Amino acid sequence: MQNKVSYSSVMNIVDHETFGSNERRTVRNSGIFLLDSSKKTNQLFFMGKCGGEVRVELTINFQQNTNGTLSIKESAKLYEGASTNSRDLDGKASKNTLVGVNENKTITFRVRNTDEGGDYADITLQVSNVVIDETDCKNSIKAKAQTLGSGFTGSATSNINSPTSVRGGKRVTFQKCDIYCSPQTGPHEIHGAIRQKYNSVGGPNNDLVIPATDETTTPDGRGKFNHFTGNGSIYWHPTTGPKLVRGGIRHTWAKTGWERGAFGYPTSDEIRIDASKAEWFSDFQNGVIYWAKNKSIKPHTASLSGAKVRKMFEEIFKEKAKDQKDLNVESVRISTVSDTGYDFTRSKNRKVTFKISGNYESGIFFIPNPSYTITLRIAFESDKNPDGKVACTLKARLDHWHIHTSGVGHDKLLKGLKKAVLEGFNKPFELGDVPKNTGFLSFKVMKNGGIKLYFKGDVLGSFAALVAQKKLDKM
């Protein structure tokens, strides 16, 4: 059962101590929303100010009842002072109302200043409560579209009076979104990049079937998701893109706390390694979930810590700048590590920014040596997306650079450093090759600037990780 609730609220506010055009003010609000099994309540909040001395706050709570009726509680507070910082409450009033099935009702009451003065507000609420059978997908989709508004949906691109039958339910497509409905789920919208991902994998013909929720903001406030009836979800984040996660991998991820847990957001769709063995994995910002033999198995890894990556890069820089014989390198540090990068298919790796500082021996003993600071942002990449089977070459390349020099004679220093950077880093430098069929799943930059390689959690993956670790240790 659904309740399509249409409302129109009017607050006529009077500031008794003000005369002229500011003495009265009318505040109007209206809209439409749905209540159903997934959302049985809704709260609205409106505010009106008048004359610089009166502020009225109105809260309206709507509750869906099992018999289709609608319980409404209105609470109004009148404050002295138009600023929201003022909490000088001078009056309050409330009213409870029951609206019957398919009934229209007008509700009025007044909140007045009971402390001093004759300030007041007359409040009128007009409500329409239309009950829709959730098995009636045509009217449910119509009501959903009306609630969302044409600015959200755009025009219908399929027949809204005759929804298309799809696997799991019904659908009406719009310019900016699609609305799916079944008797079990009610109507739910899907839009934006999540809609694009869903359609790219087959829409309702995929194992996801149809949406079980609207697009919803994640608890961290940054991401979005839709859950689907086929035990799956699509999650979107501005630094990952839309990614599909489902089945046992989704269940494992959920147990760790979803996107707020140790793994972070998904950075790949679920990837099949071997269908005959029911072997899958999903990549995440901070790890990999590997699924085989109907359970989650911890993948094997090889890694370099952030400190070792810093040391490796220091040696690489000194090698590239060896022609600058009078160059002193005083420090090399990791200054920042970026977030992951947006991509529709496989999110980009984090990028590591190194800061190198030092000076140049000018040969003039009574003048301080010119100094420099070099900022180099390095992207760590695989030439192919690891999938457990494909051979990959791991590389690092210069993504951005900046050089600052100062002191007497620093122009010569700047010219030499530019030459060292542009010539020394003009091509990516290879970190190593991973042969095919070694169970290689992911090449990841971690939050501290370290790098980690993930392999299948089986005997082959264990051996490959051991070999990879020995190669990393020699860098």
Side-chain angles (χ1 to χ4, degrees):
M1 178 183 63
Q2 291 181 306
N3 294 70
K4 186 178 80 168
V5 182
S6 305
Y7 67 89
S8 176
S9 169
V10 179
M11 291 192 290
N12 289 309
I13 308 171
V14 175
D15 183 349
H16 190 262
E17 298 176 359
T18 301
F19 301 95
S21 60
N22 291 328
E23 181 182 6
R24 298 173 180 272
R25 187 180 178 194
T26 298
V27 179
R28 302 177 187 275
N29 292 280
S30 61
I32 302 172
F33 59 86
L34 292 178
L35 298 177
D36 56 28
S37 57
S38 64
K39 182 183 180 182
K40 295 179 178 292
T41 63
N42 192 31
Q43 183 180 86
L44 304 176
F45 177 80
F46 306 122
M47 182 188 300
K49 302 176 183 179
C50 181
E53 290 296 328
V54 175
R55 183 178 86 255
V56 177
E57 295 181 356
L58 174 64
T59 302
I60 311 174
N61 289 290
F62 298 83
Q63 168 75 51
Q64 180 196 54
N65 300 318
T66 55
N67 61 358
T69 59
L70 191 65
S71 295
I72 301 175
K73 180 176 181 179
E74 298 177 83
S75 300
K77 295 180 180 179
L78 187 149
Y79 293 91
E80 180 178 350
S83 170
T84 54
N85 293 324
S86 171
R87 307 310 295 175
D88 185 3
L89 180 63
D90 282 349
K92 59 182 180 179
S94 62
K95 188 155 188 176
N96 297 329
T97 306
L98 185 69
V99 182
V101 173
N102 299 324
E103 182 182 12
N104 299 324
K105 183 166 281 191
T106 299
I107 311 157
T108 61
F109 72 107
R110 173 177 287 192
V111 58
R112 64 174 69 249
N113 187 331
T114 56
D115 183 35
E116 59 181 358
D119 311 324
Y120 66 88
D122 285 328
I123 298 168
T124 302
L125 178 66
Q126 293 180 316
V127 179
S128 169
N129 175 32
V130 177
V131 175
I132 302 171
D133 184 351
E134 283 186 329
T135 63
D136 180 1
C137 277
K138 182 182 79 171
N139 285 322
S140 291
I141 291 175
K142 278 186 173 182
K144 183 72 171 182
Q146 188 177 7
T147 301
L148 294 171
S150 60
F152 183 96
T153 65
S155 300
T157 55
S158 67
N159 190 346
I160 196 169
N161 292 309
S162 181
T164 304
S165 293
V166 297
R167 182 184 177 206
K170 301 282 189 177
R171 176 185 66 197
V172 174
T173 59
F174 296 80
Q175 289 174 318
K176 300 179 183 179
C177 76
D178 299 326
I179 300 177
Y180 289 81
C181 176
S182 75
Q184 293 74 36
T185 64
H188 294 293
E189 61 80 18
I190 183 170
H191 69 277
I194 292 179
R195 176 200 194 192
Q196 185 182 1
K197 170 66 76 171
Y198 177 60
N199 289 339
S200 75
V201 298
N205 294 321
N206 182 274
D207 288 342
L208 290 172
V209 197
I210 65 171
T213 68
D214 293 339
E215 182 175 301
T216 305
T217 301
T218 52
D220 68 4
R222 298 194 65 196
K224 305 286 185 181
F225 70 89
N226 279 82
H227 292 322
F228 295 83
T229 58
N231 189 24
S233 305
I234 296 177
Y235 273 75
W236 173 93
H237 187 274
T239 66
T240 63
K243 300 293 178 285
L244 185 161
V245 58
R246 62 176 304 275
I249 291 176
R250 176 178 179 262
H251 179 68
T252 301
W253 180 49
K255 287 197 299 183
T256 70
W258 300 94
E259 75 283 349
R260 292 188 292 180
F263 286 97
Y265 282 86
T267 54
S268 77
D269 295 336
E270 186 177 72
I271 298 171
R272 176 185 294 177
I273 303 172
D274 189 334
S276 65
K277 297 180 181 178
E279 199 175 21
W280 309 77
F281 78 97
S282 281
D283 214 350
F284 292 82
Q285 287 177 311
N286 306 314
V288 170
I289 297 178
Y290 168 66
W291 186 268
K293 300 179 181 178
N294 292 318
K295 62 181 179 179
S296 174
I297 300 175
K298 186 177 180 179
H300 298 291
T301 62
S303 63
L304 277 182
S305 67
K308 289 184 177 180
V309 169
R310 187 212 63 79
K311 181 64 176 175
M312 177 186 71
F313 185 79
E314 179 179 357
E315 293 172 358
I316 291 172
F317 176 79
K318 288 179 177 179
E319 174 63 24
K320 300 292 185 183
K322 64 183 179 181
D323 291 341
Q324 306 293 316
K325 300 186 183 300
D326 294 320
L327 190 72
N328 296 319
V329 178
E330 295 178 349
S331 71
V332 177
R333 64 184 180 88
I334 294 175
S335 61
T336 60
V337 180
S338 76
D339 209 333
T340 49
Y342 187 100
D343 190 82
F344 191 77
T345 303
R346 194 89 173 250
S347 305
K348 305 300 183 184
N349 234 335
R350 296 181 175 99
K351 296 175 182 178
V352 183
T353 298
F354 298 88
K355 279 195 180 294
I356 306 107
S357 59
N359 62 70
Y360 183 78
E361 294 286 352
S362 66
I364 306 174
F365 71 91
F366 56 87
I367 297 178
N369 291 328
S371 61
Y372 67 88
T373 300
I374 304 172
T375 302
L376 302 178
R377 188 171 67 208
I378 304 298
F380 292 84
E381 300 168 336
S382 173
D383 66 332
K384 299 183 184 69
N385 286 326
D387 63 1
K389 297 170 287 188
V390 69
C392 297
T393 298
L394 309 183
K395 301 178 181 180
R397 64 172 177 84
L398 180 63
D399 181 69
H400 173 79
W401 63 273
H402 179 265
I403 300 173
H404 174 76
T405 58
S406 61
V408 177
H410 75 93
D411 291 343
K412 179 182 177 182
L413 171 61
L414 178 61
K415 184 177 179 180
L417 289 175
K418 281 185 177 180
K419 182 176 184 294
V421 169
L422 295 178
E423 291 183 1
F425 292 90
N426 65 333
K427 294 181 179 179
F429 43 96
E430 293 190 6
L431 302 174
D433 295 320
V434 182
K436 66 179 182 180
N437 296 323
T438 54
F440 181 44
L441 305 179
S442 181
F443 173 46
K444 199 174 300 297
V445 175
M446 309 308 289
K447 288 182 178 180
N448 65 355
I451 58 176
K452 185 174 284 190
L453 283 64
Y454 291 81
F455 296 85
K456 289 166 51 175
D458 58 11
V459 174
L460 176 61
S462 175
F463 177 76
L466 181 62
V467 172
Q469 187 64 61
K470 289 181 178 179
K471 289 185 177 181
L472 289 175
D473 291 339
K474 293 179 180 178
M475 287 185 174

